[in-house]
Amino acid sequence: MLRRTLPRALSSASSSLHGVPLDATSINANVRAAEYAVRGNVLERSMELQRRMAAGEMLPFKKFVPCNIGNPHALLQLPLSFHRDVLALCISPHLATDHPSAFNPDAVERAQKYATGMGGGVGSYTNSQGILAVREEIAAFIAERDGHPAYVDRIYLTNGASEGVRMLLTCLLRGGELRDGLLTPIPQYPLYSASLTLLGGTLVPYHLNESGDWGVQMENLTEALATARENGVEVRGIAVINPGNPTGNILAEDQIKDIIQMAVDNKLVILADEVYQSNIWKEGASFSSFKKVACDMGYHGEDGDERLQLVSFHSTSKGYFGECGLRGGYMELHGIGPEVRAEVYKLASLSLCSNTVGQLAMGMMVNPPKPGDASYQTFEKERGDILSSLRRRSMMVHKALNEMEGITCNKADGALYAFPRIRLPNKAVQAAADKGIPADEYYCLKVLDETGIILVPGSGFGQEEGTLHFRTTFLPSEDTMEETLKILASAHAKFMDDHRD
Ligand SMILES: Cc1ncc(COP(=O)(O)O)c(C=O)c1O
């Protein structure tokens, strides 16, 4: 029998170990400090309430409405038939022979193409940068969208856009004493603030202009840059979210040009987060990518031309696809030379590759069925139904919010959110202070307790000093949306009455 004892030297060492166990005090302080409001205190409270409801407790409402996160399928948005059929065939290739009539020929053909491109199927690691056949689809999509070429060796498949942003920031922020910073919009999607905290970077805020439809004001940007530099921060890049989360603004080409010029003049890497590029609601508006505008301006990003350095991110999680759980995404590097691209490749290879299902989903998202394909009509109808319903819902939410006392809300021109400003009575602000929480969190908790509607306090995204907001998605299905808004309106009215000064 093996003696299950440690050698003497080791066992005596373990009793007098000077090592530090992993606990809440010894964990990396950056992990402790990182905050992600979308899944913060309000969500925690909702989970507690869900447990209590499951245990039989009567609450003032019958169901929870998760408006806290842009997670369309969690609110019953339907998957697209072609995309799921191809995935099913890639995961279980025998389905094509077992059930030949169940699949359109273009779905079978696409699955075969991916199978050839993957070699060993979805269960095998791929190239760390992603399956070449998928990168070719992405390059073709970008070239068609922008009217400028895109190259497979500059495209990296990632587990969602989040991983791409983290990888890029890992490359950009040098840590230590250097105080590298990133110009970050306020309000922002907290992936940026949390990643900066984790990686020891400095968030350099530039405020979006609420009274100007949440647009970027160049003077805010240049001032933020100058102040940060005066304070010893080495500003390395600028994050731009277009269309905006949580604000819903869409940048016009002129604004994009100004930002690009500023980045060139100040040697800043642009991180263009364009995950909402298919969610455009404003009549007559269209999406222009940073890559397109950069190329139009003559910044073609050829090797050796690093005047403009741009990294663009896209995702399977948003748009009309909404497949957040598949964790598909890509980033395209532009104006970033082969040595750095090789380092990014090495970084990607540390996790071997992004998940294969997400990679395939990304390929299909950018290369859906075309006119003449067997799946085209169904795809067009499914896509059209999702987008037109989202557009109607964005308008319903905007109208309903603006009718509530003390609330003003800019139109969501794009993306999946409304970010209304709320003016709360002093009594509410005082009650929140007494509890030691921000007033908008206090408001969201009260709404949750009353209605089951889960909102995110504006403080989690950053907001102008002295203002309060919350963020809501407009993802509840259209038939339940009217009811949800009525419930929210009456909870809001009750809140205001209960806290009237
Ligand atoms: C602006 C923005 N960027 C990135 C992401 C992350 O997307 P993914 O699911 O692709 O990681 C989100 C998710 O909500 C987002 O809103």
Side-chain angles (χ1 to χ4, degrees), residues 212-216 240-245 247-253 255-256 276-288 411-415:
D213 282 333
W214 291 117
V216 174
V240 187
I241 307 174
N242 181 43
N245 173 11
T247 54
N249 65 309
I250 302 173
L251 291 175
E253 285 206 6
Q255 289 180 301
I256 296 177
Y276 296 102
Q277 60 188 267
S278 306
N279 298 112
I280 304 292
W281 316 124
K282 186 180 175 180
E283 209 56 49
S286 59
F287 167 78
S288 297
K411 274 201 173 122
D413 292 341

Side-chain angles (χ1 to χ4, degrees), residues 283-296:
E283 209 56 49
S286 59
F287 167 78
S288 297
S289 73
F290 269 75
K291 162 89 182 292
K292 172 197 180 289
V293 178
C295 291
D296 288 350

Side-chain angles (χ1 to χ4, degrees), residues 160-162 189 191 241 245 273 275-276 315 317-318 327-328 417:
S162 311
Y189 173 59
L191 165 67
I241 307 174
N245 173 11
D273 184 330
V275 301
Y276 296 102
S315 166
S317 299
K318 314 295 171 185
R327 308 308 298 131
Y417 315 95

Side-chain angles (χ1 to χ4, degrees), residues 14 131-133 138 177 180 201 230 252 314 317 347 353 366 376 431 439 452:
S14 68
I131 301 163
L132 179 61
I138 295 170
E177 300 299 297
D180 280 351
E230 272 162 31
H314 201 2
S317 299
L347 194 56
C353 66
V366 296
Y376 178 69

